[in-house]
């Protein structure tokens, strides 16, 4: 997409440039104005043509030494426009950009809701998990919930959540003992000491010798 510039420009060349002829001065002035305009328009999306127009007017609206070519002083009144095809492209770009920003806003709102509401309360998290698996009762995996969702719950301090988490940890311990049967006796003896300190003799009696 390109801006089209129309308007009128006045030029005051230095003596050195004037001696090269009027055509050289005009060419140098057009190039200098083009560089000035491009530096401004490159900072703006096509839909902000009016902003680029105002900045260009401030830059060349009065006599000033030309930064792009110190041999010139220029003064111009320029109007920036977009051709019909470029206007269509610009509108399509803005529509796509707006849709993408909306998608990101929706994603941020959804993640914020999960973090602050769903994962902020264990009961709500369990209800959300059940709702996610409607019609899949036979395949419902609370193990997956315990592994992937429960650790993310900010207030997972209720009795049920703690019990579920402890049970999950103990299940992992059993898996390790199955893989290392030589350490079962060590684990049983350690468990016996802990249970005796807790005063749970009835459970101690159930441990294997």
């Amino acid at each position: 997409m390109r801006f089209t510039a129309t308007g009128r420009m006045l030029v005051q060349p230095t003596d050195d440039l004037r001696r090269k002829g009027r055509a050289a001065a005009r060419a140098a002035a057009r190039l200098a104005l083009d560089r000035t305009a491009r530096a401004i328009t490159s900072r703006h999306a096509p839909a902000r043509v009016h902003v680029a127009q105002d900045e260009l007017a401030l830059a060349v609206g009065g006599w000033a030494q030309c930064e792009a070519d110190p041999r010139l002083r220029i003064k111009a009144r320029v109007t920036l426009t977009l051709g019909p095809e470029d206007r269509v492209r610009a509108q399509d770009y803005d529509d796509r950009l707006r849709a993408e920003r909306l998608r990101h806003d929706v994603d941020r709102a959804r993640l914020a809701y999960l973090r602050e509401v769903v994962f902020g309360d264990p009961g709500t998290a369990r209800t959300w998990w059940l709702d996610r698996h409607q019609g899949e009762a036979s395949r419902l995996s609370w193990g997956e919930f315990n592994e992937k969702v429960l650790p993310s719950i900010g207030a997972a301090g209720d009795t049920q959540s703690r019990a579920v988490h402890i049970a999950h940890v103990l299940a992992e311990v059993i898996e390790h003992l199955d893989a290392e049967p030589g350490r079962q006796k060590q684990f049983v003896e350690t468990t016996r000491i802990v249970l005796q300190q807790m005063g749970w003799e009835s459970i101690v009696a159930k441990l294997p010798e």
Side-chain angles (χ1 to χ4, degrees), residues 9-36 59-60 62-76:
M9 177 174 59
L10 301 177
V11 182
Q12 288 183 347
T14 61
D15 292 340
D16 178 60
L17 181 58
R18 185 178 288 109
R19 283 193 291 270
K20 293 183 178 181
R22 185 174 298 178
R26 283 199 300 265
R30 285 196 296 268
L31 289 172
L33 180 60
D34 183 71
R35 294 191 192 99
T36 301
V60 299
W63 287 110
Q65 192 71 34
C66 185
E67 294 183 5
D69 190 334
R71 300 173 301 171
L72 295 166
R73 293 179 73 234
I74 63 174
K75 177 180 179 181

Side-chain angles (χ1 to χ4, degrees), residues 38-70:
R38 285 179 183 275
I40 292 172
T41 58
S42 63
R43 298 195 300 264
H44 299 286
R48 291 173 57 82
V49 61
H50 59 287
V51 178
Q53 171 76 59
D54 290 342
E55 289 190 13
L56 183 58
L58 289 173
V60 299
W63 287 110
Q65 192 71 34
C66 185
E67 294 183 5
D69 190 334

Side-chain angles (χ1 to χ4, degrees), residues 143-157:
E144 187 178 1
F145 174 86
N146 296 336
E147 179 182 350
K148 297 182 178 179
V149 179
L150 190 60
S152 300
I153 298 177

Side-chain angles (χ1 to χ4, degrees), residues 9-188:
M9 177 174 59
L10 301 177
V11 182
Q12 288 183 347
T14 61
D15 292 340
D16 178 60
L17 181 58
R18 185 178 288 109
R19 283 193 291 270
K20 293 183 178 181
R22 185 174 298 178
R26 283 199 300 265
R30 285 196 296 268
L31 289 172
L33 180 60
D34 183 71
R35 294 191 192 99
T36 301
R38 285 179 183 275
I40 292 172
T41 58
S42 63
R43 298 195 300 264
H44 299 286
R48 291 173 57 82
V49 61
H50 59 287
V51 178
Q53 171 76 59
D54 290 342
E55 289 190 13
L56 183 58
L58 289 173
V60 299
W63 287 110
Q65 192 71 34
C66 185
E67 294 183 5
D69 190 334
R71 300 173 301 171
L72 295 166
R73 293 179 73 234
I74 63 174
K75 177 180 179 181
R77 180 175 295 177
V78 180
T79 300
L80 296 177
T81 58
L82 286 172
E85 292 184 359
D86 285 332
R87 283 199 298 271
V88 172
R89 294 192 186 98
Q91 184 62 53
D92 181 64
Y93 171 80
D94 286 344
D95 291 343
R96 290 173 182 269
L97 183 62
R98 191 178 300 109
E100 188 67 13
R101 286 174 175 168
L102 177 60
R103 186 179 67 81
H104 286 302
D105 288 343
V106 170
D107 285 343
R108 279 194 294 268
R110 179 177 58 82
L111 293 175
Y113 177 79
L114 286 174
R115 181 178 63 252
E116 297 169 9
V117 179
V118 175
F119 293 160
D121 173 69
T124 304
R126 294 185 190 99
T127 302
W128 169 79
W129 187 254
L130 286 169
D131 182 67
R132 291 264 299 180
H133 293 81
Q134 285 185 8
E136 302 178 17
S138 61
R139 292 183 291 164
L140 182 61
S141 172
W142 285 105
E144 187 178 1
F145 174 86
N146 296 336
E147 179 182 350
K148 297 182 178 179
V149 179
L150 190 60
S152 300
I153 298 177
D158 65 308
T159 302
Q160 184 177 357
S161 292
R162 289 198 302 270
V164 169
H165 186 68
I166 292 172
H168 183 60
V169 172
L170 290 176
E172 290 188 18
V173 171
I174 299 302
E175 290 179 3
H176 282 290
L177 290 177
D178 288 340
E180 301 180 62
R183 307 193 67 176
Q184 289 182 2
K185 184 176 180 179
Q186 178 187 355
F187 177 77
V188 170

